[in-house]
Amino acid sequence: MWLEVITPEKKMFEGEVDAVRFPGIDGAFQVLKGHAPIISSLTEGKIKVDIANHETDFDEFSGSFEPDSSNSRVIRMTINGGVMEMQNDKIIVLAD
């Protein structure tokens, strides 16, 4: 599935992912490929992303995420809140 994380200043991330965990206002939740359409408000916290392949080029997104020391396919992005929408295996996050 495809993920885009956008802030007012820049695009934090764009790429193919296997799973994404969000800090929802009612608690953390995860979406996987084939998830039903969903729109949700997000609170301050970290978005955890499981990257689909190791060939993702992060140069243009430098400083926007924290790599996971135990898994090279996992990154985390800190947000101050926002909203996410998933439909047809495409996730768009508008983050603060």
Side-chain angles (χ1 to χ4, degrees):
M1 71 190 154
W2 192 258
L3 171 66
E4 288 183 51
V5 180
I6 304 166
T7 70
E9 294 83 29
K10 65 180 177 177
K11 187 177 287 190
M12 287 180 71
F13 178 84
E14 181 177 33
E16 192 73 25
V17 299
D18 288 332
V20 186
R21 186 170 181 87
F22 294 101
I25 59 171
D26 291 327
F29 65 96
Q30 179 171 299
V31 295
L32 303 169
K33 187 173 183 170
H35 196 285
I38 183 175
I39 297 175
S40 180
S41 294
L42 304 175
T43 187
E44 183 177 352
K46 293 186 187 256
I47 298 173
K48 178 184 174 195
V49 181
D50 292 4
I51 307 295
N53 62 51
H54 295 285
E55 267 113 66
T56 302
D57 180 13
F58 295 110
D59 288 343
E60 67 182 280
F61 306 114
S62 175
S64 299
F65 59 89
E66 304 165 21
D68 188 309
S69 59
S70 63
N71 187 341
S72 64
R73 290 185 49 226
V74 174
I75 61 169
R76 289 179 175 79
M77 292 173 273
T78 302
I79 62 168
N80 294 323
V83 65
M84 66 77 65
E85 175 186 24
M86 177 170 179
Q87 189 170 12
N88 299 323
D89 287 332
K90 181 175 181 181
I91 303 167
I92 299 175
V93 178
L94 302 175
D96 293 333

